[in-house]
Amino acid sequence: MQFSLIIPAAGSGTRLGKDVPKPYLVIAGKSILAHTLNRFLKIDSLNQIIVVTSDDYLKETSNILKAEVGRLPFHVVKGGNERQESVQNALNVVSGESDLIAVHDAVRPFVSKTTIENCLNRASLRRNDGAIVAVPSRDTIKKIDLDSMISHTPKRDEMWLAQTPQIFKKKVLMEAYRFAALNGVAGTDDASLVERIGGVVEIVEGDIQNFKITYPLDLQLAEMILSKK
Ligand code: CTP
Ligand code: MG
C-alpha cells in the first residue's frame, strides 16, 4: 500500500525555549527536519510528502525538501495554532493515489526503519483502521483532580506512551478529522480523533530512541547521538 507522509513542523518550541523552532535547529550539519525526512525516504511505499510549517519557514522548508527529496512529489503547507489544525491543513493536499496516511512529528529524527515498516504493515491489515507506535510507560501514571490530588492509579502495564508514526487508512483519518472539526473535538494525537469515531487502532511497540525533542535535555541527547555517527 502506498502512503502519504504528513510532517507537522509548525510549532514554536516553547518548552525547548530556543529562538529557532525545533525542526530548523541544525545538528551535525543538517536540520532536525532533514534528519527526520531521511528516515522515511528509505521506505519504498512512500509516494508523497507534506510538511506543515509556519509562515516564516515556508521558503526554508521548500529548500530543505528540494535538497533532501529526489523524485517524490512534495508540498509545503501553512500550519495552524494547534498541531491538530496543522495536520488538518495537510489533509487538504493528500494525493488520491495513497491508501494510507502516516503522520510523524518533525522532531522525532531517530525513528527506525523497522518501526516504520512494522507500523505500515499493521495499518495495512484489513481488520485495522490504523496503527500507532508506542512504548510501555516506564513510570507509574497518576490521574489527578484539579487540585492536584490523586484520584486513580492505573496499572502501569496497561499504560503506553504514544509516539509517531501514527498511520491510518486514508478514508478513516479524513473522516476522523472531519468529525473533529464539525464537533469541536480536540486531541493531542491523531489516534485519539480516530478512536472518537470508533476506529480500530493497533499499538505497535517502538523504542525509546524514537523520543520527541521537547526539552533542552532531549536536544543534548540528540546532539550526542548524531555526533557519534
Ligand atoms: N506542531 C505543528 N503545529 C502546531 C504545534 C506543533 O505542526 N501548531 C508540530 C511541531 O512542530 C512538532 C510536532 O507538532 O514537530 C510535535 O509538537 P511539539 O513537540 O509539542 O512541538 P511544539 O508545539 O513546537 O513545542 P511546544 O509544545 O514546547 O511549544
Ligand atoms: Mg506543542
Side-chain angles (χ1 to χ4, degrees):
M1 283 192 181
Q2 299 283 299
F3 74 103
S4 292
L5 171 65
I6 294 177
I7 300 191
S12 49
T14 317
R15 286 170 290 179
L16 191 67
K18 294 260 183 194
D19 294 336
V20 174
K22 298 185 285 187
Y24 304 95
L25 294 170
V26 172
I27 308 181
K30 269 188 196 296
S31 62
I32 292 174
L33 172 61
H35 287 291
T36 302
L37 272 169
N38 279 296
R39 294 293 170 132
F40 280 88
L41 292 171
K42 298 190 179 89
I43 311 290
D44 286 340
S45 53
L46 175 61
N47 76 348
Q48 181 193 23
I49 299 170
I50 305 157
V51 179
V52 195
T53 193
S54 57
D55 270 345
D56 293 349
Y57 285 85
L58 294 169
K59 188 91 200 63
E60 182 159 348
T61 303
S62 295
N63 291 339
I64 291 171
L65 283 158
K66 276 178 206 148
E68 303 297 329
V69 178
R71 32 155 209 97
L72 280 178
F74 61 78
H75 300 258
V76 180
V77 172
K78 250 176 77 165
N81 285 332
E82 300 297 332
R83 183 185 183 281
Q84 184 173 328
E85 209 184 311
S86 295
V87 173
Q88 172 82 66
N89 293 351
L91 290 177
N92 299 331
V93 299
V94 164
S95 140
E97 282 134 53
S98 304
D99 313 290
L100 297 171
I101 300 175
V103 186
H104 184 73
D105 295 324
V107 290
R108 292 186 189 271
F110 302 116
V111 62
S112 73
K113 190 174 185 206
T114 312
T115 293
I116 300 170
E117 286 173 344
N118 288 344
C119 195
L120 279 167
N121 288 338
R122 291 292 156 169
S124 301
L125 293 181
R126 192 192 280 236
R127 65 161 193 260
N128 289 337
D129 291 309
I132 71 164
V133 177
V135 291
S137 177
R138 62 167 129 196
D139 295 325
T140 298
I141 292 186
K142 301 292 182 185
K143 170 101 176 52
I144 62 164
D145 291 335
L146 290 178
D147 57 3
S148 295
M149 301 305 276
I150 295 170
S151 67
H152 176 56
T153 303
K155 288 196 184 114
R156 195 188 58 192
D157 58 9
E158 290 176 359
M159 294 296 114
W160 285 62
L161 307 178
Q163 301 180 336
T164 66
Q166 301 201 348
I167 309 179
F168 307 90
K169 303 273 176 7
K170 180 172 67 183
K171 267 190 172 167
V172 175
L173 191 65
M174 297 279 194
E175 174 58 27
Y177 269 82
R178 195 176 310 125
F179 181 89
L182 285 173
N183 296 283
V185 177
T188 50
D189 74 345
D190 309 287
S192 58
L193 305 184
V194 173
E195 292 156 33
R196 188 58 199 271
I197 59 161
V200 176
V201 183
E202 185 172 341
I203 289 267
V204 172
E205 182 161 6
D207 56 72
I208 57 172
Q209 180 139 335
N210 182 27
F211 63 90
K212 180 162 68 70
I213 300 174
T214 305
Y215 295 104
L217 191 59
D218 301 319
L219 185 62
Q220 284 181 17
L221 185 56
E223 282 165 348
M224 255 175 60
I225 294 169
L226 287 169
S227 67
K228 280 199 186 125
K229 286 205 164 139

